[in-house]
Amino acid sequence: MKKLMATGVVPGVREQGRQVFPLAALQQLQARPAADLTVLGTAEVAVLRSDAPAKVDEPDRDWIGFGTALDQAQLLAALSGWWRCDPARVAAGGVLPVTVAGFVVAVLTGLTEWESDGTAGTTGRYRFPKARLAGYLTDLTAPANAATPVDPEDARLAGLLLGTRLASVSGGPIAYVTTNPTTTDLLATEGE
């Protein structure tokens, strides 16, 4: 709940004094459907598990993380990279759902090219300079794409994913989720 509150994606939240999370918002979030990843046509998709925005001192961006107070350009820069990941695996999924507390709040596409920070092996970090922000939410309780994607496929992917639940497990910001889970996968996920 704290992550959702810190991103500004749930209206009516009060953080001054006594914290208040509106009951109606909680009920709407409980009713959000799970993402149907089977329609993506890939074996797996990477998921960026984001936190609230944090100020950074980097040459190509001022923020990292997701927050409704960021404009579209700031949000794209904040979400498009410098993560430890397998960039080819991220690109193979064709889309990168961005989640906060298990809800898809943004969708990135255009992941076919990546840059390395120059560090080799598992400590290397990558970014996707041609990434596009296909969609993002400003209100998770009434999901509507706040971006206006030019590419019809971007609009379709954003429409399928924004506002849905998407569980993922990872020790870092990038997780990999199978798009057509087997019964064994589902049982393993439920047991965690």
Side-chain angles (χ1 to χ4, degrees):
M1 288 298 182
K2 288 184 180 190
K3 279 187 180 186
L4 290 173
M5 293 170 74
T7 61
V9 78
V10 179
V13 169
R14 189 178 75 218
E15 293 191 65
Q16 310 327 38
R18 194 168 136 210
Q19 292 182 334
V20 175
F21 199 98
L23 177 60
L26 181 61
Q27 291 169 333
Q28 289 167 324
L29 294 181
Q30 287 176 325
R32 300 300 318 143
D36 180 7
L37 301 180
T38 61
V39 299
L40 298 179
T42 59
E44 72 176 1
V45 66
V47 176
L48 174 58
R49 299 158 13 102
S50 186
D51 208 340
K55 192 86 165 134
V56 293
D57 185 21
E58 296 179 9
D60 58 346
R61 62 184 176 177
D62 297 323
W63 298 92
I64 58 171
F66 177 86
T68 59
L70 301 179
D71 66 34
Q72 193 164 335
Q74 290 172 319
L75 196 54
L76 178 59
L79 298 174
S80 61
W82 298 129
W83 324 294
R84 285 188 181 101
C85 66
D86 178 340
R89 227 171 137 184
V90 172
V95 62
L96 183 66
V98 178
T99 62
V100 171
F103 293 95
V104 179
V105 295
V107 176
L108 295 176
T109 59
L111 307 164
T112 55
E113 296 179 27
W114 55 85
E115 297 174 352
S116 169
D117 68 355
T119 310
T122 58
T123 59
R125 294 177 187 264
Y126 298 88
R127 78 177 183 126
F128 296 81
K130 304 263 181 180
R132 297 184 304 272
L133 188 60
Y136 68 99
L137 298 178
T138 57
D139 181 349
L140 184 56
T141 63
N145 193 348
T148 51
V150 176
D151 185 304
E153 180 63 5
D154 285 1
R156 183 186 80 81
L157 291 169
L160 289 171
L161 296 169
L162 286 174
T164 61
R165 293 174 182 257
L166 180 52
S168 61
V169 178
S170 174
I174 297 289
Y176 301 95
V177 177
T178 58
T179 58
N180 195 5
T182 64
T183 305
T184 305
D185 292 337
L186 291 173
L187 292 174
T189 303
E190 289 174 2
E192 294 177 351

